[in-house]
Amino acid sequence: MAAISESPVYRATTTAPVNIAVIKYWGKRDATLNLPTNSSLSVTLSQRSLRTLTTASCSANYPAADELTLNGKSQDIQSSKRTLACLASLRAHRQELENTDSSLPKLSALPLRIVSENNFPTAAGLASSAAGFAALVRAVADLYKLPQSPTELSRIARQGSGSACRSLMGGYVAWRAGELADGSDSLAEEVASQAHWPEMRALILVVSAEKKDVPSTTGMQTTVATSELFATRANAVVPARMTAIERAIQNRDFPTFAEITMRDSNGFHATCLDSWPPIFYMNDVSRAAVRLVHDINNAVGRNVCAYTFDAGPNAVIYYLEKDSEIVAGTFRSILGTELEGWSGPFYDAVKDIGSGVSLDQVDSRAVHVLKTGLSRVILTGVGEGPVSVEDHLVGEKGEILSTQ
Amino acid sequence: MAAISESPVYRATTTAPVNIAVIKYWGKRDATLNLPTNSSLSVTLSQRSLRTLTTASCSANYPAADELTLNGKSQDIQSSKRTLACLASLRAHRQELENTDSSLPKLSALPLRIVSENNFPTAAGLASSAAGFAALVRAVADLYKLPQSPTELSRIARQGSGSACRSLMGGYVAWRAGELADGSDSLAEEVASQAHWPEMRALILVVSAEKKDVPSTTGMQTTVATSELFATRANAVVPARMTAIERAIQNRDFPTFAEITMRDSNGFHATCLDSWPPIFYMNDVSRAAVRLVHDINNAVGRNVCAYTFDAGPNAVIYYLEKDSEIVAGTFRSILGTELEGWSGPFYDAVKDIGSGVSLDQVDSRAVHVLKTGLSRVILTGVGEGPVSVEDHLVGEKGEILSTQ
């Protein structure tokens, strides 16, 4: 009896970035399809600092059920409706290709083995689901050699995690809420590339671990259902801000970009506080970061930095590279270089900066609160979208590898 | 040469209470007349715990300029437009009386000497201006024997400090925003007396001193001018809540009263956060109080207590006397009796209560934050309006006395 010949293992590997919204996604008009109540806009952060690496593979050698391994841990894929929805859509697209070109291998019929790793600790409190689902969708789309554009793929990634649709592109990305009930017009698109405004930097202040108040999916449903101020935000305030911030991005107008970013973060957290029961994501450390950003802007007489807060206490502070000394220099001077995270490519480029504005010009109580309330910083900047790479997390014979 | 005969010293003395709003006053449509953007409603707190004592006197013996002494300190009355406005209105009313009855002494022509003392420390962070202006207006109106009702006098007190108009009455008091440009229909009225619902209690959690973020007059103007959510609150949300909470008070329906109170406090602070630049009055200690109130309510399965926060971090927690053990007992068990303020007539009546809900049922982090973040408590309840008393702070010959 001849040895059974091994079937081939097909592989594709991609990286995908984290994105941080400046106009916040908060509220679903359809929870199953992940359709939002309002459009949102984010900055894609550089994968030189933060990225998910994902290999999608398929082979007739694999067990019949699809497999997913995240950060070394096998996941129960059947219990994740969102993952199943993404994979079903991707397989359907592959099947269309196979139906029109019978010479193609029937990959849609093969079990998948997907392996994914983040290069940043979950403990950093950064939403990893956006990068994770973007990488999963991009990797499987590459494995299947799908012709769909990133915007078309965003419709699939959105079903995994709403904000994931914005991680399929680099630079400045809008997620259009859309109007159709089936969500087919709820798509992400690049409103400006990284190259249009490459000077954008982001300093992430990671607040010492505290359990999240309310998970974001639950939180946004509570807000939509109970906040009496929310409809005004979704229907009137955000649409005007989307128009204004897109114009600011086109014009590389940082002061306007900054004000809209800060106001939208505040307005989002205001609707959380107005929810019933109320939701608090910002704490006293977050408030100290807000105060210091306003103090720095007041000290220099223009908006050189802007804070934004997602569904947690961490601050992300945007600024332009030319203002690195005023912004990163001031925060480094406040926080001290002993704090973890003053490292990496974006820091190496500016590490000789001075100490920024005089600490006489900023609130001393806020300095104390911030100094004692952070676990680390991450210095990064605007970056590109997913990149196809050869660092496979699945070997040629289908074995799971690890970069860790 | 005969001795110059001394002219008489006319005197009247009143006490006035503090009030704590459950539907918040935030926003002026006219800053000079102190006309609000929305109606508000408060509970008058018992003067057995907190009160201002004010004597108004007048005499031809006094120097020509009106004088005001607050807590032992002479005030520059000419620099306080608000005080001048109140005194001018009161004098005009007296003059009307004198014009119609020539037998009356011409008090309106005499210099005033007003002396006022609070029985609570300014450091307690309780807004003393409401009680102060209510006492001033009530005392001068008594001195002048004005026939105006408390509601008519509220028009005058409002010009001193908006919320002062609600301290001219006891029980449950609404301040109707009114519509007229001259403010003549912007008046306070008792919607229910203390006797209608005497069981209401208030536990004030005084947060360890921290400088106020933004004074309330400046803060509310910022909110009106900049918050994109504020108009929805003022025009739609508050009017509906006023109707609903008045009904809850009429029906002595505490669970409904509680929910509206908490939601309105949250909504008010939401519009502060939505202001530009953002205004934060609540801090992590305030958030801990919010959490514990929700935990206590969840533990017993109904709203037995309700928090509300003014323009500062202190929590006022309303509850009914029958739930003293569940509410005051739990907070006493959390805070310990070493903390200042577990005393006074309202405490004496319940000091044998047990320890309330099990601390296993409340958030342990919130317990820790609250335990370490308060400077004292004040246990009080709903009370009556200003009371005419004989404890004059000005002697028979016009000399300033003191109770302190």
Side-chain angles (χ1 to χ4, degrees):
Chain A
M1 205 167 146
I4 297 165
S5 77
E6 290 266 316
S7 300
V9 171
Y10 300 90
R11 299 179 299 175
T13 299
T14 189
T15 64
V18 167
N19 73 75
I20 300 288
V22 292
I23 303 293
K24 299 296 188 190
Y25 158 49
W26 194 254
K28 301 180 200 278
R29 65 175 205 273
D30 182 312
T32 307
L33 293 172
N34 265 349
L35 300 180
T37 49
N38 56 258
S39 297
S40 55
L41 193 143
S42 58
V43 178
T44 296
L45 298 186
S46 173
Q47 297 172 74
R48 289 195 285 158
S49 304
L50 304 167
R51 58 130 189 80
T52 295
L53 176 68
T54 298
T55 297
S57 70
C58 59
S59 172
N61 297 334
Y62 293 169
D66 292 339
E67 295 173 357
L68 175 62
T69 299
L70 295 183
N71 295 317
K73 287 186 189 162
S74 177
Q75 307 292 308
D76 176 14
I77 211 167
Q78 295 304 321
S79 73
S80 169
K81 283 186 187 170
R82 295 173 163 205
T83 306
L84 293 175
C86 289
L87 297 182
S89 295
L90 291 159
R91 271 205 170 89
H93 284 307
R94 172 68 189 183
Q95 193 128 36
E96 286 167 26
L97 289 184
E98 293 166 1
N99 290 348
T100 54
D101 180 352
S102 61
S103 73
L104 291 175
K106 302 287 180 290
L107 302 189
S108 66
L110 300 179
L112 285 160
R113 174 169 291 165
I114 303 169
V115 181
S116 185
E117 286 183 356
N118 298 325
N119 73 340
F120 52 94
T122 308
L126 292 160
S128 55
S129 62
F133 273 105
L136 181 143
V137 169
R138 183 73 264 174
V140 177
D142 289 351
L143 174 71
Y144 289 166
K145 300 195 191 312
L146 300 185
Q148 275 77 11
S149 70
T151 287
E152 290 169 312
L153 292 176
S154 75
R155 187 187 290 127
I156 300 173
R158 189 201 73 223
Q159 296 174 61
S161 167
S163 57
C165 73
R166 297 186 312 240
S167 273
L168 285 167
M169 282 148 264
Y172 304 83
V173 182
W175 174 13
R176 310 295 178 193
E179 295 176 353
L180 300 176
D182 69 355
S184 56
D185 60 346
S186 186
L187 299 168
E189 62 183 21
E190 196 180 279
V191 299
S193 69
Q194 176 197 9
H196 169 74
W197 204 8
E199 298 86 1
M200 187 68 70
R201 295 292 173 267
L203 174 64
I204 306 175
L205 306 179
V206 181
V207 173
S208 302
E210 186 181 336
K211 211 181 69 192
K212 208 180 205 180
D213 194 33
V214 177
S216 55
T217 294
T218 316
M220 63 175 75
Q221 282 164 335
T222 300
T223 302
V224 173
T226 65
S227 168
E228 303 194 55
L229 302 175
F230 180 73
T232 301
R233 166 175 170 76
N235 301 334
V237 179
V238 166
R241 284 193 186 136
M242 282 295 290
T243 306
I245 205 165
E246 288 186 51
R247 193 183 311 122
I249 291 166
Q250 297 305 343
N251 296 338
R252 301 182 190 88
D253 171 0
F254 187 83
T256 302
F257 171 89
E259 179 169 334
I260 297 169
T261 294
M262 293 186 273
R263 291 181 78 139
D264 195 71
S265 177
N266 294 333
F268 150 51
H269 290 279
T271 64
C272 290
L273 173 52
D274 189 55
S275 303
W276 183 252
I279 303 165
F280 298 90
Y281 290 121
M282 296 171 72
N283 64 17
D284 282 356
V285 181
S286 316
R287 290 170 55 203
V290 166
R291 169 58 59 98
L292 291 172
V293 164
H294 282 288
D295 285 353
I296 293 169
N297 288 341
N298 288 337
V300 297
R302 63 193 163 94
N303 286 345
V304 291
C305 47
Y307 52 78
T308 188
F309 297 83
D310 280 348
N314 294 348
V316 175
I317 297 172
Y318 286 115
Y319 60 97
L320 293 181
E321 188 184 24
K322 70 182 173 65
D323 294 318
S324 289
E325 177 162 336
I326 298 173
V327 184
T330 302
F331 277 98
R332 187 179 62 177
S333 150
I334 287 169
L335 300 171
T337 47
E338 318 81 57
L339 187 68
E340 198 183 335
W342 295 110
S343 58
F346 286 89
Y347 182 69
D348 292 343
V350 299
K351 66 182 172 200
D352 296 327
I353 51 174
S355 58
V357 307
S358 162
L359 295 193
D360 297 345
Q361 296 182 274
V362 300
D363 186 291
S364 59
R365 284 177 307 150
V367 164
H368 174 74
V369 171
L370 200 69
K371 220 177 146 66
T372 54
L374 298 186
S375 64
R376 63 167 297 149
V377 296
I378 297 168
L379 188 59
T380 183
V382 62
E384 62 190 343
V387 177
S388 180
V389 296
E390 296 298 316
D391 310 329
H392 301 300
L393 293 169
V394 174
E396 288 181 6
K397 295 183 185 301
E399 71 279 20
I400 294 177
L401 307 174
S402 174
T403 59
Q404 293 177 328
Chain B
M1 205 168 148
I4 297 165
S5 76
E6 291 267 317
S7 301
V9 170
Y10 300 90
R11 298 180 299 177
T13 299
T14 191
T15 64
V18 168
N19 73 76
I20 300 288
V22 292
I23 302 293
K24 299 297 187 189
Y25 159 48
W26 195 253
K28 301 177 200 280
R29 64 175 205 272
D30 182 312
T32 306
L33 294 172
N34 264 351
L35 301 180
T37 48
N38 56 259
S39 297
S40 56
L41 193 144
S42 57
V43 178
T44 296
L45 298 187
S46 173
Q47 296 173 73
R48 290 195 285 157
S49 304
L50 304 167
R51 59 129 190 79
T52 295
L53 176 68
T54 298
T55 297
S57 71
C58 59
S59 172
N61 297 335
Y62 291 168
D66 293 339
E67 294 172 359
L68 175 62
T69 300
L70 294 183
N71 295 318
K73 287 185 189 163
S74 176
Q75 307 292 308
D76 177 13
I77 211 167
Q78 295 305 320
S79 73
S80 168
K81 282 185 187 170
R82 294 172 164 205
T83 306
L84 294 174
C86 289
L87 297 181
S89 294
L90 291 159
R91 271 205 171 89
H93 284 307
R94 173 68 190 182
Q95 194 127 37
E96 286 166 26
L97 290 184
E98 293 165 3
N99 291 346
T100 55
D101 180 352
S102 62
S103 73
L104 291 174
K106 302 287 180 290
L107 302 189
S108 66
L110 299 179
L112 286 160
R113 175 170 290 166
I114 303 168
V115 182
S116 185
E117 285 182 358
N118 297 325
N119 74 340
F120 51 94
T122 309
L126 292 160
S128 55
S129 63
F133 273 105
L136 181 143
V137 168
R138 182 73 265 175
V140 177
D142 290 349
L143 175 71
Y144 288 166
K145 301 194 192 309
L146 300 185
Q148 275 77 12
S149 69
T151 288
E152 289 169 313
L153 292 176
S154 76
R155 189 187 289 127
I156 300 173
R158 189 202 71 222
Q159 294 174 63
S161 167
S163 56
C165 72
R166 297 186 313 239
S167 274
L168 285 167
M169 280 148 264
Y172 304 82
V173 183
W175 174 12
R176 309 294 177 194
E179 294 177 352
L180 300 175
D182 70 355
S184 55
D185 60 346
S186 185
L187 299 168
E189 63 184 21
E190 197 180 278
V191 299
S193 69
Q194 176 198 7
H196 168 75
W197 204 9
E199 298 86 1
M200 186 68 70
R201 295 292 172 267
L203 174 65
I204 307 176
L205 306 179
V206 181
V207 174
S208 302
E210 187 182 335
K211 212 181 67 191
K212 207 178 204 180
D213 193 33
V214 178
S216 55
T217 295
T218 316
M220 63 175 77
Q221 284 164 335
T222 299
T223 302
V224 173
T226 65
S227 167
E228 302 193 56
L229 303 175
F230 180 74
T232 301
R233 166 175 170 77
N235 301 334
V237 179
V238 166
R241 285 192 185 137
M242 282 295 291
T243 305
I245 205 166
E246 287 186 53
R247 193 182 312 123
I249 291 167
Q250 297 305 342
N251 297 339
R252 301 182 191 88
D253 171 359
F254 188 83
T256 302
F257 171 89
E259 178 169 334
I260 297 169
T261 293
M262 293 186 272
R263 291 181 77 139
D264 196 71
S265 176
N266 294 333
F268 150 50
H269 290 279
T271 64
C272 289
L273 173 51
D274 190 55
S275 303
W276 183 252
I279 302 166
F280 299 90
Y281 290 121
M282 296 171 73
N283 64 18
D284 281 356
V285 181
S286 316
R287 290 171 54 203
V290 166
R291 170 58 59 99
L292 292 171
V293 164
H294 283 288
D295 285 353
I296 292 169
N297 288 341
N298 288 337
V300 296
R302 61 192 164 96
N303 286 345
V304 291
C305 47
Y307 52 77
T308 187
F309 297 84
D310 280 347
N314 293 349
V316 176
I317 297 172
Y318 286 115
Y319 62 98
L320 293 181
E321 188 185 25
K322 70 181 173 65
D323 293 318
S324 289
E325 177 163 336
I326 298 173
V327 183
T330 302
F331 277 99
R332 187 180 61 176
S333 151
I334 287 169
L335 300 171
T337 47
E338 317 82 55
L339 188 68
E340 199 183 332
W342 296 110
S343 58
F346 287 90
Y347 181 69
D348 292 343
V350 299
K351 65 183 172 200
D352 296 327
I353 50 174
S355 58
V357 307
S358 161
L359 295 193
D360 295 346
Q361 297 182 273
V362 300
D363 186 290
S364 59
R365 285 176 307 149
V367 165
H368 175 75
V369 171
L370 199 70
K371 219 175 147 67
T372 54
L374 298 186
S375 64
R376 64 167 297 150
V377 295
I378 297 168
L379 189 59
T380 183
V382 63
E384 62 189 345
V387 177
S388 181
V389 296
E390 296 298 317
D391 311 328
H392 301 299
L393 292 170
V394 174
E396 289 182 4
K397 296 183 184 303
E399 71 279 20
I400 294 176
L401 307 173
S402 174
T403 59
Q404 293 177 326

